[in-house]
Amino acid sequence: MVKTSIPKTTGTSTLGMVAKAAGVSASTVSRILNGTAVVSEAKKQAVDEAIARLGFVPNPVARGLAGGRTLSVGVVTQSIDSPFYGVALRGIEDELDRVGYSPLFVSGHWNATEEARCIDMLRSRRVDGIIVLTGRLSDAALKQYAKALPMVATGRRLKAPNLYTLDFNNFEGARLATGHLTSLGHQRIAFIAGNSEHPDANERLCGYRAGLEAAGIAFNPELVASGLFHEESGMLAAERLLDTRQRFTALFAANDQMALGACLALQRRSLRVPQDVSVMGFDDLSISRYSIPPLSTVHHPAYELGQGAAAAMLCLLRGEKPSFNLPGPRVIARESTAAPSTRP
Amino acid sequence: MVKTSIPKTTGTSTLGMVAKAAGVSASTVSRILNGTAVVSEAKKQAVDEAIARLGFVPNPVARGLAGGRTLSVGVVTQSIDSPFYGVALRGIEDELDRVGYSPLFVSGHWNATEEARCIDMLRSRRVDGIIVLTGRLSDAALKQYAKALPMVATGRRLKAPNLYTLDFNNFEGARLATGHLTSLGHQRIAFIAGNSEHPDANERLCGYRAGLEAAGIAFNPELVASGLFHEESGMLAAERLLDTRQRFTALFAANDQMALGACLALQRRSLRVPQDVSVMGFDDLSISRYSIPPLSTVHHPAYELGQGAAAAMLCLLRGEKPSFNLPGPRVIARESTAAPSTRP
DNA sequence: CTGAAAGCGCTTACAG
DNA sequence: CTGAAAGCGCTTACAG
């Protein structure tokens, strides 16, 4: 237990007190605080000194009421405990923190109605802007919101005033993953898709097909099963795949969580990874590096995604035009993939 | 993509407009909203009708400035992407949501100074109360804060006015885990402890020792290594344990993440789990059920912890005395533990 | 039971 | 460059 200084009574001094102490008007203090106008050096010094002496910290609540700026940005994530988006939230937190902004996290649970409710709530709390991490809101709704306040959204590609989007190339990622498998010599590659309502799911499925095609392998719908992006569903999907008696030497899941569930299903049927079946995931969750065997996957830069979304929001807030490049997908080859055994 | 209704322009109508529309004073509307005084049925109806017609939603920012209540509670978690605390955050979210409160999540990063900064920030944002998820703040600091606003903290046992604490019995959990292993017949049980600065770490170590003692097994410090509660450190600790050439048939880690890392270390040395070494974790993360083999562990009710903390805060806010019982620890026996093989 | 008034702590036209 | 004043949208004594 580290020792802590006695909590200072925050919010004890007000802008008015600073003004009086410095012998200037409240307006002047406000201007200095906000860099809203040029102020004589002498007064500025007096004010800075008074601020330091009184330990003054502006009250964001009052600021929000008076000026419309609360120095907070709303973040609609889908589930506060998502292993993937959690990392993105950290990126947002770090980026915002650097300039004194605070994030307000709310969960939309992949439900457009709930997401809309979240946004209404955030707006009633007067956030300066809103970041939406993927989700199910329509593009039209997003554009509509952007008329009222700056918006940044991930998982889509949209152009509209006051709206910026960041999109990871899921198609390319899945194509690369499939390519990794085909270049290892796999011909029969099963795929566990995500639920089709999820925007990323289709792109990854298309990438898988493109990867097969590039290697001259025909797409076989019987080698595809669907899951819900979590472990349990991955396990179930793998079992279904196994039950079809379709032969496959590799299995590619649309995300790591499903890949991990699939590994367990394989293990239960006494199939070894990668000797009997190579398994490939997508996202590169931090746990995937410690699964047994460590999971080969596609790195999805969650932290940079969050950071970039926050940086873009800050740009929008300053009235600038954001431009941000998300790192592209890249294959992380670990031990769950190998060349198919010669005698399957 | 689900279709969404066009976002309604929230915050468009004010309390003043409602008052005018209903032909009453602003005070009366405010009283009805807050149930602050008895109001004649006739006016109440007129106001309710006006509120509905105008789609009025009170502005929490103004409310916070004027009344001091923002209907928000600050939550100091340690890392926004912690797999364990993430679940607790969900519990907090759900519980608060039921009564229209919003959580404000901030990360203290297991650093007393940062946690104190978080609390200052939350107070400047005028949250109605603060929940601290474990962390490193001193008990004295917590009590001090509680003089200014309601506080709820987890991971300790404290009594003070306006402060409520929820504590999970880590000692008992670790004792039970060790008991599970000894009752399986293990005699040489290694332990991967957490870093001693972490409050839970010591309790779990003590529980381990108590479990050994209950089975009449002498404590052997050479069978203990320390980690940092994450996978990597668990892997390293297991390697160190193996390098000592001390024999052990079971390994108990102070949390699941370290247990998972340890499993990988064992696997790299060609030791099978559970045939060669049984492995036991602590926390029961959702992924642990899908590790290979599925990890035996101690269930730690994270969701209930968060929910209980939020419920306690709501009590405090209502001026009531909270009383909440957290479920006790229980062993979840899965496939990573088994009786020691006869010929080790 | 109900209003008028003051005020929460700031910002921002409006005038110098 | 700088003040005085009004106002953001609510709440809460203070008087009826």
Side-chain angles (χ1 to χ4, degrees):
Chain A
M1 219 43 64
V2 175
K3 76 165 183 289
T4 323
S5 59
I6 299 303
K8 40 181 183 303
T9 24
T10 191
T12 191
S13 55
T14 69
L15 180 144
M17 296 165 66
V18 171
K20 187 169 299 174
V24 302
S25 75
S27 322
T28 299
V29 178
S30 173
R31 287 183 189 113
I32 292 176
L33 248 30
N34 299 290
T36 269
V38 193
V39 172
S40 79
E41 195 50 39
K43 302 211 171 189
K44 178 160 169 32
Q45 294 221 334
V47 169
D48 284 346
E49 192 271 334
I51 287 177
R53 187 152 45 79
L54 298 180
F56 169 68
V57 179
N59 178 336
V61 177
R63 255 183 167 168
L65 225 209
R69 285 181 0 127
T70 50
L71 295 185
S72 64
V73 347
V75 179
V76 179
T77 184
Q78 300 310 136
S79 172
I80 193 68
D81 61 342
S82 154
F84 176 74
Y85 287 105
V87 177
L89 299 188
R90 195 154 49 73
I92 292 175
E93 229 182 16
D94 291 352
E95 185 70 20
L96 253 30
D97 193 53
R98 299 173 44 209
V99 293
Y101 268 78
S102 306
L104 233 67
F105 299 121
V106 293
S107 304
H109 302 114
W110 296 106
N111 176 141
T113 308
E114 270 195 69
E115 290 172 54
R117 231 195 334 259
C118 286
I119 290 184
D120 282 344
M121 190 275 259
L122 291 170
R123 289 179 59 190
S124 84
R125 290 200 179 269
R126 299 296 186 273
V127 294
D128 296 342
I130 296 178
I131 295 173
V132 177
L133 296 178
T134 311
R136 297 263 166 76
L137 249 17
S138 69
D139 292 352
L142 243 24
K143 286 182 185 171
Q144 184 67 28
Y145 286 126
K147 290 180 183 166
L149 81 176
M151 301 277 308
V152 169
T154 64
R156 36 196 127 198
R157 202 174 293 273
L158 246 46
K159 277 241 177 305
N162 225 14
L163 170 64
Y164 189 76
T165 59
L166 297 180
D167 196 24
F168 181 66
N169 198 334
N170 287 290
F171 172 84
E172 178 66 5
R175 209 179 58 74
L176 289 175
T178 310
H180 170 65
L181 262 9
T182 58
S183 71
L184 245 22
H186 293 279
Q187 294 277 127
R188 304 193 61 83
I189 304 173
F191 183 64
I192 299 183
N195 46 328
S196 55
E197 286 185 15
H198 191 111
D200 297 347
N202 294 307
E203 295 176 39
R204 295 182 190 174
L205 173 57
C206 291
Y208 159 71
R209 297 187 62 157
L212 291 180
E213 191 168 349
I217 300 172
F219 171 71
N220 174 179
E222 296 220 57
L223 247 25
V224 177
S226 274
L228 266 18
F229 282 123
H230 55 238
E231 292 83 355
E232 171 80 6
S233 67
M235 183 171 88
L236 264 21
E239 282 172 2
R240 266 179 276 127
L241 249 13
L242 259 11
D243 288 339
T244 62
R245 317 292 301 162
Q246 289 281 330
R247 294 258 310 287
F248 55 89
T249 59
L251 173 57
F252 172 31
N255 79 348
D256 283 1
Q257 289 175 266
M258 293 195 293
L260 263 14
C263 284
L264 183 56
L266 293 170
Q267 203 244 191
R268 293 225 186 287
R269 302 273 184 120
S270 301
L271 290 167
R272 295 161 306 163
V273 176
Q275 297 89 334
D276 299 317
V277 180
S278 280
V279 175
M280 180 103 199
F282 197 115
D283 278 348
D284 194 18
L285 298 184
S286 61
I287 45 161
S288 300
R289 146 181 259 126
Y290 297 98
S291 68
I292 294 179
L295 188 68
S296 293
T297 187
V298 175
H299 184 68
H300 189 166
Y303 186 84
E304 289 84 352
L305 185 72
Q307 209 182 223
M313 174 54 72
L314 260 14
C315 273
L316 250 25
L317 256 13
R318 284 191 303 261
E320 297 166 14
K321 204 170 170 331
S323 95
F324 183 78
N325 283 324
L326 204 57
R330 65 176 204 279
V331 167
I332 307 290
R334 289 199 276 247
E335 299 160 45
S336 67
T337 49
S341 59
T342 44
R343 205 202 114 269
Chain B
M1 205 79 32
V2 174
K3 74 163 185 292
T4 324
S5 58
I6 299 303
K8 39 181 183 301
T9 24
T10 193
T12 191
S13 56
T14 69
L15 180 143
M17 295 164 66
V18 170
K20 186 169 301 173
V24 303
S25 75
S27 323
T28 299
V29 177
S30 171
R31 286 182 190 117
I32 291 176
L33 248 30
N34 298 291
T36 270
V38 193
V39 172
S40 79
E41 195 51 38
K43 302 211 173 193
K44 177 157 168 33
Q45 294 221 333
V47 170
D48 284 346
E49 191 272 334
I51 287 178
R53 187 150 46 78
L54 298 181
F56 169 68
V57 178
N59 178 336
V61 177
R63 253 182 169 170
L65 225 209
R69 286 181 0 128
T70 51
L71 294 185
S72 63
V73 348
V75 179
V76 180
T77 184
Q78 300 310 137
S79 174
I80 193 68
D81 62 341
S82 153
F84 176 75
Y85 287 105
V87 178
L89 299 189
R90 197 154 48 73
I92 292 176
E93 229 181 17
D94 290 351
E95 184 71 19
L96 253 30
D97 193 53
R98 299 174 43 209
V99 293
Y101 268 78
S102 306
L104 233 69
F105 300 122
V106 293
S107 304
H109 302 116
W110 298 106
N111 177 141
T113 308
E114 270 195 70
E115 290 172 55
R117 231 194 334 260
C118 286
I119 289 184
D120 282 344
M121 191 275 261
L122 291 170
R123 288 178 60 189
S124 85
R125 290 201 178 267
R126 299 296 186 274
V127 295
D128 296 343
I130 295 178
I131 296 173
V132 178
L133 295 179
T134 311
R136 298 263 166 76
L137 250 16
S138 69
D139 292 352
L142 243 24
K143 285 182 185 171
Q144 184 67 29
Y145 286 126
K147 289 179 184 168
L149 81 177
M151 301 278 305
V152 169
T154 65
R156 34 197 128 198
R157 202 175 291 273
L158 247 47
K159 277 242 176 305
N162 225 15
L163 169 64
Y164 189 76
T165 60
L166 296 181
D167 196 22
F168 181 67
N169 198 333
N170 287 290
F171 172 83
E172 178 66 5
R175 209 179 57 74
L176 289 175
T178 310
H180 170 65
L181 260 11
T182 58
S183 70
L184 244 23
H186 293 280
Q187 293 278 128
R188 301 192 64 82
I189 304 173
F191 184 64
I192 300 183
N195 46 327
S196 56
E197 285 186 15
H198 191 111
D200 297 346
N202 294 307
E203 296 176 37
R204 294 181 192 176
L205 173 58
C206 291
Y208 159 71
R209 296 187 62 156
L212 291 181
E213 190 170 350
I217 301 171
F219 172 71
N220 175 181
E222 296 221 56
L223 248 24
V224 176
S226 274
L228 266 17
F229 282 123
H230 55 239
E231 292 83 354
E232 172 80 7
S233 67
M235 183 171 87
L236 265 21
E239 282 172 2
R240 267 180 276 127
L241 250 13
L242 258 10
D243 288 339
T244 62
R245 318 290 304 161
Q246 290 281 330
R247 293 258 311 285
F248 55 89
T249 59
L251 173 56
F252 172 31
N255 78 350
D256 284 0
Q257 289 174 265
M258 292 196 292
L260 263 14
C263 284
L264 183 55
L266 293 170
Q267 202 243 192
R268 293 225 186 287
R269 303 270 184 124
S270 302
L271 290 166
R272 296 161 305 165
V273 176
Q275 296 88 333
D276 299 316
V277 181
S278 281
V279 175
M280 180 104 200
F282 198 114
D283 278 347
D284 194 18
L285 298 184
S286 60
I287 45 160
S288 300
R289 146 180 261 125
Y290 297 97
S291 68
I292 294 180
L295 188 68
S296 293
T297 187
V298 174
H299 183 69
H300 190 166
Y303 185 84
E304 289 83 351
L305 186 72
Q307 207 181 225
M313 175 52 73
L314 260 13
C315 273
L316 250 27
L317 256 12
R318 283 192 303 262
E320 298 166 14
K321 202 169 172 329
S323 95
F324 182 78
N325 283 324
L326 204 57
R330 63 175 207 280
V331 166
I332 307 288
R334 289 200 275 248
E335 300 161 43
S336 67
T337 48
S341 59
T342 43
R343 209 203 109 266

